Amino acid sequence: FRIIPGNGGIAVNCRWCGDIVKSSCAMWCVLSAILLLVIRTEGLLLCDGDCMDNPLEICNKSAVDPARLNRPVITLLGLFPCTTTRFRARGLTPAAQMAVNQINNHSPLLPDFRLQMLVNNSMCAPLPAVRSYIFQIDPDHNQQPIHAIVGPGCSSAAQPVAELANFFNLIVVSSTATSPALSNEARFPTFFRSISSDISTVDANVALIRQFGWHQVAIITENVNLFLEVSDQLKRQLAQSGLNVISSGLSYFDSSSGIPVIDTIQNSGARIVIMNVFEDSARQLFCLARSRNMIFPHFVWMSYGWYSLRWWEDKDRDSDFIANTNCTLSQMESAIDRSLSFHHLPTPTESQRTAPTDVNFTPNEFWENFTEIIRRLDYSPNEAISQASYMYDAVWMVAFALNKSIAKLPPGKTLADFNYGNTDFRNIFIESLSTLQFSGVSGDVVINNRERQPNLRMEQYRRLPNGTIKSFEFAMLPPSGSSLRYTNNESPSTVWPGGTPSDVERDHIDLGWLALYGSISGIGIVFAAVCFLFNFSCRRKPIVKATSPYLNMLIITGAIFIYADVVLFGIDGRVTSDDVLKVTCNARIWAASIGFSLLFGPMLAKAVRVYFVVTRSQKDLKQRKIKDWQLILFVVILVAIDIGVLLIVTLIDATRVKIESRIIQREGGEIPRLIEICSASDDTATTIWIILWLCYKGILLLVGLFFAAATQNVKIKELNDSKTIAFAVYCISAISAVLTFIGFFLEEQLDEQYAITGAFMLLTVTVVLCMIFLPQIKALFEDPSGELKIHDSTGSNQMSHSVVPKSHPLKTFSSEQENHIQNLNTELISLRSELNQLKRRTPKNDSSAKYRDNTKEHRTSNSETTL
């Protein structure tokens, strides 16, 4: 029914919008008319009983200041979602009526005009909204034009209305339509809103996921444009946020596909679920999730905060079950306990709630008045929505904009001259709204890009001691912020009393293995230090000097690198943070590469010198001598190559910690295990350089193997590193084979992987040190003089004639003399070895062979004499 001004009095027109006529409505219609006649004022269009079952209270509150009774009327069209299962918001209507009443009676705005609102039920659907819009702008129905539209409340209804309104130069201001599509200025040039777009919640989602260290997110999206655009943006931002997001599933939901969607989420291993759905769909999903035990603490669900105040309590009539579900209220409350919601509604701060505003009421005063009206109208909690204050401010937005426009109108024009064909009025209204700022009951209203600047807040549903559920605000995301700020004395411990729920089980190396190998590595480093001290203190002993002590020091340094690398391979996210783990990943590669060069390079260098001595004549040896500093330079070059390559790779393609998922079964569904893998940002480039690096190291191994075979008959053990080189080559080859096997078959078994790899690394470096230094230690223990011993073909030990006795008058030699003595020693050993080989291959009665033997013996005797 409507209450319409008439000439000389007031006419009452009752029009029924629904099929069922309530007897009480006729009574209220008559009483309202009588009331208006008594107080000689005009009421407002109150629409059908769907939007206001009991309009008397609003009629009482809508009395117009008598001074404005005969002034020109500015008409607003209100399109509110009064009857719908998705977003029931009858509470918007009394909030809008309160604003109109305050502007007419207690505000200096629009002093020469009287504001009225025509309220229609848009039913949260395009067709009813467009039908109401067309009906109200029809000149046969309303001879006075509509100046602006407040609403529609739902985005699906707002889009067609806003698109049509542009052709009639009408401004549309909504308080609850949050679709990102409405931000398209080219398509909706006259659309504004006192709320921010749902796109703003994407920032809150990403910030929250980062705050709690979650990695995998499932997104459930209702097949409505409002939610599809938000989900697409959320997926893109999650992928670009730098988070280690394993996967992001997008499932389309409707009332008949709830179970398949839940199956998809359960099978994906996701534990964090974001719902982009209406509240009726949310109820169905929560009920299904509870039946699968996919609720807290196993899962965390996120939903919108613009649902009705107690949206989960909507029961079917004559039933104990929540509407369209198989859950009771108690079961539904257990399902939503500890779930999260996002509000893009800038709630007033504590100080603002009692501070004066530009809209007559303080926030506290508004809610006191609004709550009383809702109580007297006997509205259910679902209809007393939290967006009422934003509807109140939306009406004030229109009033402020119209008031600012008065001064900008052409001379001789007033707001009463507005018509649907005048674009000048529209442009002035748009300009006034675009720069609007004021203090409202919902907080500070600042219009930016035709919508309100967001100030996001996060809430959590928690079960109270009495068993009921209540929403608690715990954090907010300031405008242009990227990290959450806890509010209301909240903290992670209050949000998650039992600890932050994990969306994954992060697989770690058993601490027992790390402790074992760490202890062995520590002992190995101590052993290497003992070898270093022995090598340095006894470096002038002949038996130690023959092994090139300075090169031995490099071998010991390489061994320490390898021991440390064993510990680095055992460090993971359990004992350090992800940032430190990235550094550890790089350190592993550097330690392994440089350690290999320092361990294997000196052995290769010594083998090259022995081979050179064995294969060269005395004349060549005298002309070209290989000194220690040349061999050390060779090792330094190998290490420099490693450092150069690693430095380039690290700077160009920084190593990161890549997280891969493996699904395992757990209570409450499947849950992924996260496996930490050191990887570069460009996997293809990384693979290429790793192959090249392995080829380079493999060539060094083959070269070492060749020289080991060529010098295997050298009879002074201290000079013969062939066995040590061969052992090192075999072990490193075995490690490579084992790592290849692990890569194919044991990739998920971190303990087995670390146990096998660490064992081979420790075995290799320890045996190499033992083979080099234990014989020297043993020889010095048996003979403190440290004389070299030559092993002939019979296996007996003979004191080498090539060693200067300790009692020799020349107790010290120059570095060049020492190198020359060492070269002669090596040549002598080579000649003896060659002679023995010829004896074994040549028959005794062969005269030419005897001649060659005599020649070799003669050369050997000369070498001994020279030494």
Side-chain angles (χ1 to χ4, degrees):
F1 50 84
R2 302 171 62 209
I3 301 170
I4 307 173
N7 294 328
I10 296 177
V12 177
N13 175 27
C14 292
R15 178 175 61 87
W16 303 106
C17 300
D19 297 330
I20 301 175
V21 178
K22 301 178 181 178
S23 60
S24 62
C25 288
M27 178 185 69
W28 287 120
C29 183
V30 175
L31 290 177
S32 298
I34 294 173
L35 174 66
L36 292 175
L37 286 170
V38 171
I39 64 174
R40 294 194 56 79
T41 186
E42 297 190 28
L44 309 174
L45 177 64
L46 300 176
C47 190
D48 53 67
D50 288 335
C51 280
M52 191 138 331
D53 288 335
N54 189 344
L56 179 59
E57 301 297 338
I58 299 301
C59 288
N60 265 325
K61 299 292 183 182
S62 300
V64 181
D65 183 354
R68 296 199 184 199
L69 276 176
N70 297 320
R71 294 177 183 176
V73 175
I74 293 178
T75 305
L76 307 180
L77 173 59
L79 298 174
F80 306 136
C82 302
T83 54
T84 174
T85 58
R86 295 194 156 185
F87 180 55
R88 295 186 302 171
R90 289 198 303 173
L92 294 177
T93 307
Q97 299 285 15
M98 288 175 63
V100 171
N101 180 57
Q102 288 295 313
I103 293 168
N104 279 334
N105 296 294
H106 307 288
S107 170
L109 298 181
L110 305 172
D112 298 326
F113 299 91
R114 173 168 51 86
L115 199 63
Q116 74 172 5
M117 178 173 287
L118 310 179
V119 180
N120 283 253
N121 183 8
S122 63
M123 300 176 67
C124 200
L127 183 59
V130 171
R131 185 170 55 203
S132 296
Y133 165 75
I134 293 175
F135 179 76
Q136 295 296 343
I137 65 171
D138 184 0
D140 294 335
H141 178 69
N142 281 325
Q143 294 182 358
Q144 293 182 341
I146 305 295
H147 285 74
I149 299 172
V150 179
C154 294
S155 298
S156 57
Q159 291 187 32
V161 169
E163 204 160 12
L164 287 172
N166 176 47
F167 297 105
F168 290 84
N169 297 311
L170 280 173
I171 300 299
V172 181
V173 179
S174 177
S175 65
T176 51
T178 56
S179 170
L182 290 166
S183 300
N184 187 338
E185 185 176 335
R187 185 180 173 189
F188 310 105
T190 63
F191 180 81
F192 289 80
R193 47 188 162 194
S194 62
I195 195 171
S196 58
S197 164
D198 277 335
I199 283 294
S200 61
T201 64
V202 172
D203 295 330
N205 277 290
V206 174
L208 196 69
I209 292 168
R210 183 185 292 111
Q211 185 88 8
F212 293 133
W214 292 327
H215 299 82
Q216 178 163 285
V217 177
I219 307 171
I220 300 178
T221 303
E222 195 155 357
N223 201 3
V224 178
N225 287 337
L226 166 65
F227 303 119
L228 295 177
E229 296 183 18
V230 176
S231 294
D232 289 340
Q233 176 66 20
L234 178 58
K235 288 184 66 179
R236 286 193 296 269
Q237 198 157 328
L238 285 172
Q240 299 170 1
S241 64
L243 299 173
N244 292 321
V245 180
I246 303 170
S247 65
S248 180
L250 180 61
S251 302
Y252 298 103
F253 175 83
D254 57 50
S255 58
S256 62
S257 65
I259 293 178
V261 166
I262 292 295
D263 288 340
T264 301
I265 300 302
Q266 191 172 22
N267 294 333
S268 72
R271 312 280 283 193
I272 310 301
V273 185
I274 299 175
M275 296 188 298
N276 286 322
V277 300
F278 285 113
E279 63 182 58
D280 59 328
S281 300
R283 287 191 291 267
Q284 296 180 47
L285 287 169
F286 270 116
C287 186
L288 289 170
R290 192 207 65 83
S291 66
R292 305 285 187 89
N293 197 27
M294 296 171 59
I295 57 177
F296 182 81
H298 307 300
F299 283 74
V300 175
W301 292 76
M302 305 182 198
S303 59
Y304 284 108
W306 46 255
Y307 293 165
S308 304
L309 285 181
R310 299 189 68 82
W311 54 271
W312 61 90
E313 293 183 349
D314 189 15
K315 287 186 178 181
D316 286 328
R317 292 183 179 180
D318 303 323
S319 173
D320 292 332
F321 295 105
I322 302 299
N324 300 320
T325 72
N326 295 321
C327 288
T328 63
L329 176 58
S330 175
Q331 291 171 336
M332 183 63 71
E333 288 178 337
S334 68
I336 69 173
D337 184 28
R338 293 290 168 176
S339 65
L340 308 177
S341 64
F342 297 93
H343 291 258
H344 39 65
L345 310 176
T347 307
T349 63
E350 198 66 39
S351 60
Q352 288 177 325
R353 289 173 183 170
T354 57
T357 65
D358 298 325
V359 294
N360 292 354
F361 287 138
T362 66
N364 284 351
E365 290 172 345
F366 167 79
W367 283 109
E368 289 173 3
N369 283 272
F370 178 75
T371 304
E372 177 62 17
I373 291 175
I374 292 300
R375 186 191 64 80
R376 297 174 70 177
L377 290 174
D378 197 26
Y379 279 10
S380 68
N382 285 351
E383 294 159 333
I385 62 172
S386 59
Q387 288 91 336
S389 59
Y390 302 94
M391 171 53 70
Y392 183 86
D393 285 345
V395 177
W396 279 88
M397 276 180 62
V398 175
F400 276 117
L402 292 175
N403 194 67
K404 287 179 63 176
S405 301
I406 294 174
K408 301 178 182 179
L409 293 174
K413 295 290 185 179
T414 69
L415 294 177
D417 298 320
F418 171 79
N419 61 72
Y420 298 136
N422 195 326
T423 58
D424 292 336
F425 277 86
R426 182 190 73 164
N427 294 335
I428 292 172
F429 294 163
I430 290 175
E431 180 184 352
S432 298
L433 273 170
S434 299
T435 58
L436 198 59
Q437 295 186 28
F438 65 93
S439 175
V441 295
S442 61
D444 292 330
V445 179
V446 179
I447 302 303
N448 184 22
N449 294 326
R450 306 198 177 201
E451 63 185 41
R452 193 166 184 172
Q453 187 173 354
N455 195 3
L456 302 164
R457 75 174 189 262
M458 274 60 72
E459 294 186 352
Q460 185 181 49
Y461 296 107
R462 300 175 189 172
R463 187 185 291 273
L464 300 177
N466 61 6
T468 60
I469 290 290
K470 184 180 178 181
S471 179
F472 292 86
E473 179 182 336
F474 69 89
M476 66 173 295
L477 184 67
S480 304
S482 59
S483 59
L484 299 182
R485 179 168 59 85
Y486 286 99
T487 58
N488 301 325
N489 296 321
E490 295 278 352
S491 65
S493 61
T494 60
V495 178
W496 312 113
T500 302
S502 175
D503 61 332
V504 292
E505 286 188 358
R506 201 158 182 171
D507 208 2
H508 297 289
I509 295 172
D510 188 273
L511 290 178
W513 283 111
L514 180 58
L516 175 63
Y517 282 174
S519 301
I520 296 175
S521 297
I523 296 172
I525 292 174
V526 172
F527 173 63
V530 171
C531 292
F532 188 92
L533 293 174
F534 165 79
N535 184 79
F536 181 79
S537 60
C538 301
R539 65 187 184 280
R540 297 192 180 278
K541 298 284 186 180
I543 197 170
V544 175
K545 185 184 297 184
T547 64
S548 301
Y550 295 106
L551 292 175
N552 288 344
M553 293 180 186
L554 296 179
I555 292 176
I556 295 170
T557 305
I560 293 175
F561 270 89
I562 301 298
Y563 280 128
D565 205 32
V566 173
V567 178
L568 291 176
F569 271 102
I571 295 176
D572 57 18
R574 173 180 291 179
V575 296
T576 187
S577 64
D578 285 349
D579 291 336
V580 176
L581 194 57
K582 293 177 183 179
V583 178
T584 305
C585 286
N586 282 316
R588 292 172 185 172
I589 301 171
W590 282 70
S593 183
I594 295 175
F596 171 85
S597 295
L598 289 175
L599 183 72
F600 188 74
M603 291 190 292
L604 176 61
K606 291 194 289 183
V608 169
R609 178 161 63 182
V610 173
Y611 177 80
F612 181 81
V613 171
V614 168
T615 58
R616 293 294 186 271
S617 64
Q618 290 189 44
K619 182 178 180 181
D620 291 337
L621 291 175
K622 291 179 180 180
Q623 293 176 350
R624 301 175 59 187
K625 300 175 182 179
I626 301 179
K627 301 179 180 179
D628 274 0
W629 71 265
Q630 294 173 314
L631 301 182
I632 293 174
L633 179 62
F634 170 74
V635 177
V636 170
I637 291 173
L638 294 181
V639 174
I641 292 174
D642 286 337
I643 294 175
V645 172
L646 290 172
L647 191 61
I648 293 173
V649 171
T650 302
L651 293 177
I652 294 179
D653 198 9
T655 302
R656 60 187 171 91
V657 181
K658 182 180 179 182
I659 306 296
E660 292 191 355
S661 176
R662 300 292 182 269
I663 305 300
I664 58 174
Q665 192 70 32
R666 286 287 187 272
E667 181 186 359
E670 293 179 331
I671 184 171
R673 291 166 55 201
L674 287 187
I675 298 177
E676 299 161 351
I677 298 176
C678 292
S679 173
S681 54
D682 188 347
D683 291 336
T684 302
T686 302
T687 303
I688 292 174
W689 89 258
I690 286 178
I691 292 174
L692 294 176
W693 183 83
L694 290 175
C695 290
Y696 161 62
K697 297 296 183 180
I699 291 173
L700 290 180
L701 290 175
L702 292 176
V703 171
L705 201 59
F706 166 77
F707 285 114
T711 59
Q712 62 181 331
N713 291 322
V714 174
K715 294 192 174 183
I716 297 182
K717 289 183 179 181
E718 290 71 20
L719 297 178
N720 190 347
D721 285 335
S722 61
K723 292 182 180 180
T724 307
I725 293 174
F727 176 81
V729 171
Y730 296 151
C731 284
I732 294 172
S733 301
I735 291 176
S736 301
V738 168
L739 290 178
T740 303
F741 173 81
I742 289 173
F744 281 101
F745 301 104
L746 295 178
E747 184 181 9
E748 302 176 18
Q749 310 300 325
L750 297 185
D751 288 341
E752 291 81 351
Q753 187 182 71
Y754 179 60
I756 296 174
T757 305
F760 271 93
M761 293 174 69
L762 291 172
L763 178 66
T764 301
V765 68
T766 303
V767 172
V768 166
L769 290 180
C770 290
M771 293 180 70
I772 293 175
F773 294 102
L774 289 185
Q776 300 178 37
I777 296 173
K778 179 184 177 182
L780 281 178
F781 180 78
E782 295 175 349
D783 181 10
S785 65
E787 301 294 341
L788 286 174
K789 295 181 179 179
I790 301 175
H791 300 261
D792 61 16
S793 58
T794 62
S796 61
N797 295 338
Q798 299 177 356
M799 188 67 67
S800 172
H801 300 289
S802 63
V803 178
V804 180
K806 199 170 184 181
S807 59
H808 195 281
L810 298 176
K811 295 183 179 179
T812 59
F813 300 92
S814 67
S815 176
E816 184 177 354
Q817 288 173 328
E818 289 180 351
N819 287 330
H820 182 57
I821 292 172
Q822 187 166 340
N823 287 336
L824 291 176
N825 269 329
T826 305
E827 181 188 7
L828 174 62
I829 295 164
S830 175
L831 292 175
R832 286 184 175 277
S833 174
E834 186 177 354
L835 177 62
N836 291 331
Q837 290 178 12
L838 290 174
K839 286 180 178 180
R840 287 194 297 270
R841 291 199 304 265
T842 307
K844 292 183 179 180
N845 57 356
D846 190 339
S847 59
S848 60
K850 290 181 180 179
Y851 172 77
R852 286 195 298 272
D853 288 348
N854 292 333
T855 303
K856 293 292 183 179
E857 289 180 355
H858 178 69
R859 289 175 57 193
T860 301
S861 176
N862 289 339
S863 296
E864 292 179 350
T865 303
T866 302
L867 182 60

